[in-house]
Amino acid sequence: MLITSLFLVSIGAVPILETGGDLRANLQVRRELLRQGVPWDHLPARRPKVLDVIDFIPPPSALLDPRLLNQALPAPRKIRQYEDRMVNASRVGLVVRPWAQTLLTEWLGVGSQSVSIARDGSLFYTEGVRYTTQAGFLDESALASRRSAGIEMPDPRPAILQAHRELAAVGVKLVVLPIPDQSMVQAQRLTRSELASTVPQNPSWPRFLADLRNAGVVVVDVAQEMYDAERAGSIQFLRTDSHWTPAGVSVTANAVAASLRSLVDGGKTSRRYHQVVERIEMRGGLATLLGLPPSRREALYPPESLELRRVVDSDGKPWQPDPKSQVVFIGDSFLEAYSTPESGAPRSAGLAEQVSFLLQLPLDRIASHRWGEYGEREALGKTLGELRRAGQTRRVVVWEFAIRKLAVEIDWRLLPSH
Amino acid sequence: MVFSSHIFLFYFLPFALGVYFIVPRRPQRIRNLVLALLGYAFYGWANPRFVVLMFATTGIDWLASLVIAHDSWRISSWWHTRPPALEAGTPRTRTQRTALLLSIVSNLAALGFFKYFNFAVDSYNALIEALGLSPMTFHPVLRVVLPLGISFYTFQSLSYIIDVYRGHARVMGNFIDFSCFVSMFPHLVAGPILRFSFLAGQIEQRRTTLEMFARGVALFSLGMGKKVLLANPSGYVADAVFGAGVASPLDAWYGAVAYAFQIYFDFSGYSDMAIGLGLMLGFVFGKNFDSPYKSVSLTDFWRRWHISLSSWLRDYLYVSLGGNRQGSVRTYRNLMLTMLLGGLWHGASWNFVIWGGIHGTGLAFERWSSNAVRLRLPPVVRIAVTFLVVTLAWVFFRSSTLVDAGHYLASMMGASSPTPLQSMRVGDIYRPYYLLSLIVGAVVVWGGRQAWDITMRLSVPKAMAIVGVFWLALLMLFTQAYNPFIYYIF
């Protein structure tokens, strides 16, 4: 009786608590909307998330028609998304997970599904480590594996070459800037073996690089420079975050500026950019992703102290993107880092700013960490549309993305041109 | 849907138990219908479209069994009647043989197409290219997707139709009852492979007592503990080392043993959970594992490992080929064929064939060699040697290709050195978590009793300990986003 009761309570309590929590949250939303004056009959009907499973049941009329039935049945991907929602939004999980993770991390020395702990205790994003250490991302087995997981186009080359061609058709040069993964640059923290002087790379990288360069795409490969800088003592990546330090930004900015010098018109500009040094404290995103209770996170992974070089103009105002500039940077969270308020740091110290300073040229920047499954290509498509529609001054588009996206996270499906 | 997932534990299982016990116990068919529908919902969760395939093969097998039992193709003449079991050992008519053939062919055709089409195409292309005839290669537009659990439920259906044909079981007159046998969710996607003759009576009549339910809970809890607390960390180590491809000898042996533990705890844990669920629903399934790594020989190993499959292969394949009744040479041939096909059942790849071949060779060798020599060795030595052979064979089972298996074995022998990149992959396998799970795993494997035996009698302290294991597994599960059973893919 005892074991039966405890078991039934264990498995029964969770759905009751979750459903009760959903109903309570929905009730609070409805009360708030009523307080705001929304009419009763206009209140949104919201059901507990568990009942979303009803959407998977085909209507009775579809059972008699195979074609209708095939359309009505949910795709496996939708079912996986529902499962993920149930897990990720679990209130019980929110309470239990931090303490379970404390047991794993503090007592047993391991990270989580998303965060790996290196030998010196620094944190690495697991997907990035996989990019570096797994089989080639262009190997047929890797491509097949991604296709079976629902990725329509796992090979990144066609999408990049499409962007290159479409930009070239309007007279714009594409510069591709894959940011090396932390696990490549700080590989020594992940292994007891002595590493070579050549930066560790995914086995498919040379082929990928050759294919793009042979097609005329400019690719800025900063992996070796960052690796050499790291080995010389200049820390390129944060200890508890997958993003780069200001030193990493600086190394990359120098390489990008060197590539852009021959592509842009230096011209005359009244603007002059300067750098102003500032110290900040920054909390790493991986420490948060690990999911420890706040008290343990503070104790184990305190904020890091960083020296930023903020770029300001001759009036002392922080650097601002210039929509009319010759060069536009389009990118992800690496481009946002030290640049925008969303990155958690003061503005004007990111990659685009540093390149602007090095070239003494105004630049434009479109950055986000929330592009979705197609990455920055949505922004690329919109930029291309603008380039076609209006008279334009652009000469170069610098497309920045985390290198691991060549192997994970992103569907490289060809998008329609704008 | 896997048993150790959030959605199954906290939503599907409470719902299933609630619906099952709310509906009246009599007539039993109502509960059979509930189980069948739950089974289809469970199966369709992975891919709804494959429900149609399972329904179709179930329908064909049931109709074929009725033709065999009635010895007539005329549906109208045998509707609503259920003849007794055929007389065992008597000759069968052409109608009956045709119906049997139809069922076997449809099951094996489905299994063959979905499981082996891609393998056949790849093997054909590899052979053609090796012969320098590249223009003759075949590249189909689509790659066939493998429906989950197809190997299990087709074997289960085959056992039914063969048992009816042989006269070992009475035909199921009602489609609902038969669907319940094939599709009930505890055993549907990864076994145990249930013999119809063993389960027939329970389909028609069963009762759940509190004692049965409690034992089912205990087995389920221990199975979940094996899966989440032992199989998953072992799997991490095995994935890291096998993924590196080449490793130091220590890392390679560590990875191989970790895989041996992973596959054992994963599969036996799943079986315990399936058997536990069966008990909760009033069914008694047989034990599926019996401390296989305590085996003193490969013959002994196959009496203890995946018992439902090995006995199925023995009764339906080995015996049908002639077994050991036709002299030594034919016995060795039959052993080898059974194990090669058993290997192929596990996966559509030459690796699995080689794995089966190793076991077949070992079984034949044990039969040929003198017992007297082996029995003089201390049991601990025999256990160690058997575990060594099994572990080396697992390398083929785990590796993606024969080339990878070769590289891995070379690593185990110290014949290759990993590159720095390869050594990066195994950077954290010596963390306390993984070492602790290996040690605990070893204690459980060689020092512990089977969950089947532990749960025979449940005292209060034992029950609390088992609940503790379950809660610890739940705690770990909340930190793991997704942890599929590896036998799920068969």
Side-chain angles (χ1 to χ4, degrees):
Chain A
M1 189 67 181
L2 174 69
I3 195 172
T4 300
S5 311
L6 289 173
F7 177 79
L8 291 174
V9 165
S10 301
I11 66 171
V14 170
I16 291 171
L17 288 170
E18 300 285 359
T19 306
D22 284 346
L23 288 171
R24 190 161 157 244
N26 292 346
L27 197 60
Q28 281 171 344
V29 166
R30 288 167 78 87
R31 273 195 193 137
E32 183 54 36
L33 287 173
L34 277 172
R35 217 176 281 134
Q36 289 171 11
V38 175
W40 182 264
D41 54 352
H42 280 71
L43 292 176
R46 294 176 67 171
R47 58 190 178 192
K49 55 184 180 294
V50 65
L51 291 180
D52 289 346
V53 75
I54 292 170
D55 297 336
F56 296 152
I57 303 172
S61 56
L63 294 174
L64 300 169
D65 186 339
R67 261 185 243 169
L68 276 178
L69 184 62
N70 188 45
Q71 281 166 14
L73 287 173
R77 207 167 168 192
K78 288 262 182 255
I79 298 175
R80 300 292 84 75
Q81 286 170 354
Y82 169 81
E83 271 203 69
D84 290 343
R85 244 187 351 264
M86 296 296 287
V87 171
N88 296 335
S90 164
R91 289 180 180 78
V92 175
L94 276 173
V95 172
V96 167
R97 209 172 286 125
W99 299 107
Q101 192 60 54
T102 301
L103 174 67
L104 285 172
T105 300
E106 277 197 79
W107 290 27
L108 298 171
V110 294
S112 67
Q113 292 276 23
S114 309
V115 180
S116 300
I117 301 180
R119 290 167 54 234
D120 65 346
S122 56
L123 303 179
F124 284 68
Y125 189 44
T126 305
E127 291 290 359
V129 178
R130 279 200 197 111
Y131 164 81
T132 307
T133 58
Q134 72 181 11
F137 61 86
L138 295 179
D139 288 357
E140 191 44 51
S141 56
L143 295 173
S145 171
R146 291 192 71 205
R147 272 188 218 108
S148 65
I151 301 290
E152 196 176 299
M153 176 63 92
D155 185 345
R157 291 170 297 181
I160 296 174
L161 292 173
Q162 178 197 36
H164 164 68
R165 282 192 302 271
E166 290 181 345
L167 286 167
V170 290
V172 177
K173 192 77 181 167
L174 175 66
V175 174
V176 172
L177 174 62
I179 305 301
D181 192 76
Q182 183 187 12
S183 59
M184 293 161 57
V185 173
Q186 296 179 330
Q188 196 60 72
R189 298 186 188 188
L190 294 170
T191 176
R192 299 185 302 275
S193 304
E194 194 55 40
L195 291 174
S197 57
T198 315
V199 62
Q201 247 296 9
N202 183 283
S204 286
W205 174 255
R207 189 169 135 210
F208 170 81
L209 191 61
D211 286 348
L212 258 56
R213 283 182 173 163
N214 288 343
V217 180
V218 175
V219 182
V220 179
D221 182 4
V222 297
Q224 190 64 50
E225 281 115 313
M226 291 183 81
Y227 184 69
D228 292 339
E230 179 80 24
R231 280 157 71 93
S234 169
I235 305 299
Q236 301 290 289
F237 281 85
L238 297 166
R239 191 174 161 74
T240 60
D241 196 285
S242 59
H243 293 93
W244 45 20
T245 58
V249 176
S250 177
V251 167
T252 306
N254 277 297
V256 173
S259 283
L260 289 180
R261 277 201 180 94
S262 59
L263 298 174
V264 298
D265 179 12
K268 287 209 182 290
T269 171
S270 59
R271 292 200 205 161
R272 274 288 172 263
Y273 295 107
H274 310 280
Q275 285 182 328
V276 174
V277 175
E278 186 173 318
R279 286 208 81 84
I280 63 162
E281 297 271 303
M282 179 135 171
R283 176 164 287 109
L286 291 178
T288 307
L289 194 60
L290 200 50
L292 295 169
S295 56
R296 298 317 306 147
R297 187 177 67 226
E298 286 299 319
L300 292 171
Y301 305 110
E304 296 176 61
S305 181
L306 302 171
E307 185 181 277
L308 288 188
R309 292 187 178 275
R310 297 182 60 209
V311 176
V312 297
D313 64 18
S314 41
D315 297 329
K317 290 191 193 134
W319 181 95
Q320 293 287 339
D322 182 353
K324 293 201 180 73
S325 89
Q326 299 176 61
V327 180
V328 58
F329 279 70
I330 297 177
D332 57 16
S333 53
F334 278 91
L335 199 58
E336 277 190 324
Y338 312 115
S339 211
T340 62
E342 289 81 7
S343 67
R347 296 173 193 254
S348 73
L351 176 68
E353 293 88 318
Q354 304 304 329
V355 174
S356 199
F357 167 74
L358 289 168
L359 293 175
Q360 288 297 313
L361 267 182
L363 300 175
D364 196 7
R365 178 197 63 218
I366 305 170
S368 174
H369 57 277
R370 290 178 210 233
W371 290 123
E373 66 177 317
Y374 304 119
E376 307 73 27
R377 285 178 295 135
E378 292 175 25
L380 262 177
K382 281 189 192 145
T383 300
L384 186 66
E386 285 157 14
L387 291 171
R388 282 180 176 149
R389 280 191 294 273
Q392 54 94 7
T393 54
R394 301 276 195 224
R395 293 180 65 176
V396 180
V397 168
V398 178
W399 177 8
E400 173 275 319
F401 54 85
I403 203 171
R404 66 171 183 271
K405 292 179 183 176
L406 295 173
V408 295
E409 293 174 11
I410 298 297
D411 191 333
W412 292 90
R413 198 186 317 177
L414 296 177
L415 296 180
S417 306
H418 286 249
Chain B
M1 202 187 298
V2 296
F3 291 162
S4 60
S5 67
H6 191 98
I7 200 86
F8 179 84
L9 284 166
F10 301 124
Y11 294 96
F12 185 87
L13 182 58
F15 174 77
L17 290 174
V19 170
Y20 184 76
F21 285 108
I22 278 173
V23 299
R25 197 154 57 88
R26 293 195 199 289
Q28 191 69 63
R29 192 152 294 142
I30 299 179
R31 283 195 172 178
N32 289 350
L33 176 63
V34 165
L35 271 184
L37 291 173
L38 286 169
Y40 277 98
F42 178 85
Y43 189 68
W45 192 258
N47 189 332
R49 285 152 187 85
F50 286 136
V51 162
V52 176
L53 175 68
M54 188 169 73
F55 184 78
T57 57
T58 303
I60 290 172
D61 294 334
W62 178 66
L63 288 171
S65 71
L66 285 170
V67 171
I68 291 171
H70 289 275
D71 192 15
S72 165
W73 292 100
R74 271 192 262 144
I75 298 174
S76 56
S77 70
W78 41 254
W79 202 248
H80 289 304
T81 62
R82 189 184 171 201
L86 298 175
E87 199 179 328
T90 56
R92 301 290 179 244
T93 66
R94 191 176 168 169
T95 298
Q96 290 169 323
R97 288 196 302 275
T98 306
L100 175 72
L101 194 64
L102 172 71
S103 175
I104 290 176
V105 165
S106 68
N107 275 296
L108 294 181
L111 183 63
F113 174 72
F114 284 100
K115 194 158 179 176
Y116 301 108
F117 177 79
N118 295 339
F119 171 57
V121 167
D122 293 342
S123 299
Y124 166 79
N125 287 340
L127 177 66
I128 288 296
E129 277 171 17
L131 294 172
L133 299 168
S134 295
M136 286 175 64
T137 53
F138 174 56
H139 295 284
V141 173
L142 298 171
R143 297 287 283 183
V144 177
V145 176
L146 177 68
L148 285 171
I150 190 171
S151 306
F152 288 94
Y153 72 73
T154 49
F155 267 37
Q156 193 136 308
S157 288
L158 284 172
S159 87
Y160 164 74
I161 197 81
I162 294 171
D163 279 354
V164 167
Y165 181 83
R166 285 179 175 171
H168 295 163
R170 192 178 172 198
V171 68
M172 280 243 122
N174 189 285
F175 182 66
I176 292 170
D177 295 340
F178 182 62
S179 283
C180 175
F181 164 69
V182 175
S183 68
M184 70 167 103
F185 69 87
H187 74 84
L188 178 54
V189 292
I193 301 171
L194 303 172
R195 301 292 187 89
F196 179 72
S197 51
F198 180 76
L199 216 59
Q202 298 181 66
I203 299 280
E204 292 171 13
Q205 206 170 349
R206 62 188 177 274
R207 202 164 160 252
T208 309
T209 63
L210 188 58
E211 201 179 30
M212 270 177 87
F213 196 96
R215 192 179 177 205
V217 165
L219 269 168
F220 185 88
S221 303
L222 287 176
M224 190 151 137
K226 280 186 190 176
K227 165 62 184 165
V228 176
L229 301 175
L230 296 176
N232 283 358
S234 298
Y236 178 90
V237 172
D239 286 349
V241 187
F242 277 88
V246 174
S248 69
L250 177 64
D251 291 348
W253 279 100
Y254 181 20
V257 171
Y259 184 68
F261 282 8
Q262 178 196 7
I263 195 168
Y264 169 63
F265 288 123
D266 196 281
F267 198 18
S268 69
Y270 182 93
S271 289
D272 289 340
M273 294 173 87
I275 295 167
L277 286 169
L279 280 168
M280 288 187 222
L281 299 170
F283 290 95
V284 179
F285 303 159
K287 193 198 284 196
N288 207 21
F289 287 84
D290 188 13
S291 301
Y293 291 151
K294 289 182 184 171
S295 302
V296 293
S297 65
L298 285 181
T299 308
D300 191 24
F301 178 80
W302 282 101
R303 285 192 212 112
R304 295 165 175 262
W305 178 273
H306 200 175
I307 296 168
S308 65
L309 174 69
S310 57
S311 60
W312 195 101
L313 290 173
R314 180 195 63 215
D315 294 342
Y316 296 108
L317 189 56
Y318 179 69
V319 166
S320 302
L321 287 170
N324 58 3
R325 299 189 304 268
Q326 295 168 338
S328 303
V329 172
R330 289 209 175 164
T331 299
Y332 304 146
R333 178 204 70 178
N334 295 340
L335 277 171
M336 190 58 116
L337 272 176
T338 301
M339 293 314 298
L340 285 173
L341 289 172
L344 206 55
W345 176 89
H346 281 84
S349 152
W350 291 111
N351 280 44
F352 293 107
V353 177
I354 299 286
W355 172 81
I358 292 172
H359 279 272
T361 305
L363 289 172
F365 174 77
E366 283 177 5
R367 198 169 263 274
W368 169 81
S369 66
S370 162
N371 267 344
V373 172
R374 284 206 310 278
L375 289 175
R376 270 207 289 266
L377 295 170
V380 67
V381 173
R382 285 188 278 148
I383 289 171
V385 170
T386 306
F387 182 69
L388 175 68
V389 172
V390 166
T391 300
L392 289 172
W394 283 138
V395 171
F396 288 91
F397 202 87
R398 173 60 179 77
S399 301
S400 305
T401 64
L402 287 177
V403 171
D404 290 344
H407 286 148
Y408 198 90
L409 289 170
S411 297
M412 290 173 84
M413 303 308 155
S416 46
S417 299
T419 62
L421 196 61
Q422 285 164 332
S423 69
M424 268 175 72
R425 291 212 65 175
V426 302
D428 59 353
I429 62 174
Y430 294 98
R431 293 292 164 103
Y433 179 51
Y434 304 117
L435 291 175
L436 181 66
S437 75
L438 189 80
I439 292 166
V440 172
V443 169
V444 170
V445 158
W446 286 299
R449 292 160 60 206
Q450 285 293 291
W452 179 269
D453 301 316
I454 291 172
T455 57
M456 283 282 210
R457 290 199 204 297
L458 292 173
S459 61
V460 170
K462 195 191 281 188
M464 289 310 301
I466 291 173
V467 169
V469 166
F470 182 64
W471 281 347
L472 189 59
L474 282 184
L475 199 66
M476 289 298 113
L477 206 60
F478 275 106
T479 66
Q480 297 168 11
Y482 183 61
N483 64 129
F485 291 104
I486 52 178
Y487 258 74
Y488 206 56
I489 57 167
F490 296 131

